Amino acid sequence: MSNTRSEALSLYRGLLRHGNRFSSYNFRAYAIRRSKDAFRAHQNETDPAVIAQLLKKGESDLQVVKRQAAISNLYTTGDHLVVENAKPRHV
């Protein structure tokens, strides 16, 4: 069980880490929100077969997020939205 737990935590951290790499705020927020929601929805799952299937799907989703984040960074405009954290200005 602890091996499955560590796999799930590693997958969760990977999805959040790579989700944060999107250049677009909207895609970044969506990837992070979707990852958190998916893990929260299945946090009480106890069936080992279902858990294995969810981990396999999560690994597949992680590969998609990695590719899409890399592609996203190829086409950045440099413009940021107002809602994004800007560097604090020193006065």
Side-chain angles (χ1 to χ4, degrees):
M1 180 66 178
S2 71
N3 188 27
T4 303
R5 179 177 168 82
S6 65
E7 285 179 47
L9 287 174
S10 175
L11 178 61
Y12 182 70
R13 284 191 303 266
L15 283 166
L16 293 180
R17 184 179 323 111
H18 291 288
N20 261 330
R21 294 184 179 168
F22 280 97
S23 62
S24 168
Y25 171 80
N26 291 325
F27 287 125
R28 213 173 27 247
Y30 175 78
I32 292 169
R33 183 178 64 246
R34 182 66 185 99
S35 298
K36 287 180 178 182
D37 289 347
F39 274 84
R40 215 173 276 131
H42 299 290
Q43 70 183 358
N44 294 323
E45 187 61 56
T46 57
D47 185 11
V50 173
I51 292 172
Q53 181 182 13
L54 289 169
L55 287 173
K56 186 176 178 182
K57 180 174 180 349
E59 288 293 336
S60 165
D61 291 346
L62 177 59
Q63 296 306 315
V64 170
V65 169
K66 283 180 180 181
R67 283 192 305 271
Q68 290 303 117
I71 290 170
S72 167
N73 288 320
L74 292 174
Y75 301 102
T76 60
T77 60
D79 297 334
H80 295 287
L81 300 176
V82 174
V83 295
E84 292 185 76
N85 292 333
K87 294 181 181 176
R89 295 190 314 193
H90 297 286
V91 179

